[in-house]
Amino acid sequence: MRIEEELKLDYSDVLFRPKRSTLKSRKDVNLLRTYRFKYSKNEWSGIPIIAANMDGVGELSVAEKLNEHGMITCLTKQHDVKKIKQNKNIKKIYQNIALSVGIKKEDFRNLDKVLKEFSFFKFICIDVANGYTEHFTNFIKSVRDKYPTKTIIAGNVVTADMTQELVLSGADIVKVGIGPGSVCTTRIQTGVGYPQLSAVIECADAAHGLGAHIIADGGCTCPGDVAKGFGGGADFVMLGGMLAGHDEGGGKVIKKNGSKYIEFYGSSSEVANKKHYGGLSN
């Protein structure tokens, strides 16, 4: 083991130093952005906020609402042809939807089926908790080869070298963040992680040098953290907890001590794995 002694920062470690501005109010800030992506050559315009592909957040009903504001929703991996067909407005909101896929064979088969039925989707999100494997980069290459015109999001990583690796493997957008989410258990279960703001700064510099983009994924607990993500160089900021607990998410309501709560858990949590895969794999 080697200890890195250089200063690494989370969102909570920093504040913006104020300076003169021509804006009269915070509401005058314009977040509208237009991006053209490295490999797909697709162009996208909107507000660069993305709903995370978590149960109760990455849902079609959430996508409909966020589409009204030009924001993207990354659907959960459980959205198959049958589930997507249930939404009658899919052709009106598809431009702000990303399909999620893992790196298992059955995940790839489901993606193929969805894109055969709904070829108009433009974003594919290849999502794993820890993107530091050769199998992951090879999977990105295979998706890029099969879908050259789709905009590929891939992650998660937290360092410049692996950001470059994913971009060179075919990713248009790299998802940055391991363990910063409010309900993420990766750091607890594996000891793997990296302070989020430093990760964003390093990965943004690496991706932008290759003409690609990044998403700051996780760690935002308030609007100020979103601003810090953009300040660190993120092109998009992905939100989970901040978008959870709303009617559109359709989460399970839990009654406890006379109060009502909506169940909220991470994509790699024991709850999610038990619900979708029968439990955590050994």
Side-chain angles (χ1 to χ4, degrees):
M1 177 182 287
R2 180 174 66 88
I3 303 297
E4 291 190 17
E5 298 184 358
E6 297 87 356
L7 183 65
K8 307 296 181 185
L9 301 168
D10 266 320
Y11 293 140
S12 59
D13 295 320
V14 303
L15 291 168
F16 287 117
R17 180 179 178 180
K19 65 178 183 180
R20 289 174 179 256
S21 172
T22 58
L23 299 178
K24 296 180 180 179
S25 169
R26 284 175 288 183
K27 68 180 181 180
D28 294 333
V29 174
N30 182 7
L31 276 178
L32 184 65
R33 295 291 183 271
T34 297
Y35 297 130
R36 183 175 175 83
F37 301 113
K38 179 178 176 70
Y39 293 107
S40 69
K41 306 303 181 186
N42 293 331
E43 191 171 278
W44 176 88
S45 293
I47 304 298
I49 300 291
I50 304 178
N53 52 337
M54 303 166 61
D55 287 352
V57 179
E59 310 291 351
L60 285 166
S61 50
V62 173
E64 285 194 68
K65 183 58 66 174
L66 293 187
N67 182 69
E68 296 174 9
H69 304 281
M71 300 180 189
I72 297 173
T73 298
C74 195
L75 298 180
T76 67
K77 297 172 186 175
Q78 288 68 47
H79 280 76
D80 54 14
V81 171
K82 182 179 178 181
K83 194 168 185 178
I84 294 172
K85 273 187 174 180
Q86 293 173 357
N87 188 287
K88 305 301 182 183
N89 297 318
I90 197 67
K91 288 189 176 181
K92 296 180 181 179
I93 63 175
Y94 75 89
Q95 70 273 11
N96 283 323
I97 287 179
L99 300 171
S100 290
V101 61
I103 56 176
K104 298 178 181 178
K105 290 182 179 179
E106 54 266 36
D107 294 326
F108 205 0
R109 285 196 293 268
N110 182 60
L111 176 67
D112 284 340
K113 290 178 181 177
V114 171
L115 287 175
K116 283 179 181 177
E117 185 76 23
F118 308 101
S119 59
F120 46 73
F121 283 117
K122 295 183 178 180
F123 291 96
I124 298 172
C125 178
I126 308 172
D127 179 58
V128 296
N130 184 343
Y132 286 78
T133 66
E134 188 174 330
H135 178 58
F136 182 54
T137 55
N138 288 336
F139 188 86
I140 294 170
K141 292 175 184 177
S142 66
V143 177
R144 171 54 64 205
D145 289 342
K146 185 160 188 178
Y147 298 107
T149 63
K150 302 299 182 185
T151 301
I152 294 178
I153 302 166
N156 284 29
V157 298
V158 290
T159 54
D161 60 337
M162 206 60 191
T163 296
Q164 293 168 336
E165 180 75 16
L166 299 192
V167 172
L168 295 174
S169 297
D172 296 285
I173 309 170
V174 175
K175 199 145 70 77
V176 175
I178 294 179
S182 61
V183 292
C184 185
T185 59
T186 300
R187 291 181 182 178
I188 297 171
Q189 298 296 333
T190 68
V192 175
Y194 203 89
Q196 183 66 351
L197 181 59
S198 289
V200 168
I201 292 170
E202 294 177 29
C203 294
D205 182 62
H208 294 163
L210 293 174
H213 298 77
I214 73 156
I215 297 170
D217 176 20
C220 291
T221 60
C222 59
D225 291 340
V226 178
K228 292 173 189 177
F230 286 127
D235 304 290
F236 298 88
V237 174
M238 179 172 274
L239 303 178
M242 287 180 68
L243 295 176
H246 296 88
D247 293 340
E248 291 81 3
K252 179 181 177 182
V253 177
I254 299 173
K255 294 181 180 180
K256 185 177 180 180
N257 299 326
S259 299
K260 292 183 179 180
Y261 305 89
I262 294 182
E263 190 176 37
F264 174 49
Y265 46 85
S267 298
S268 298
S269 67
E270 185 175 355
V271 176
N273 276 276
K274 186 174 182 179
K275 178 178 179 180
H276 300 301
Y277 310 111
L280 289 165
S281 59
N282 293 325

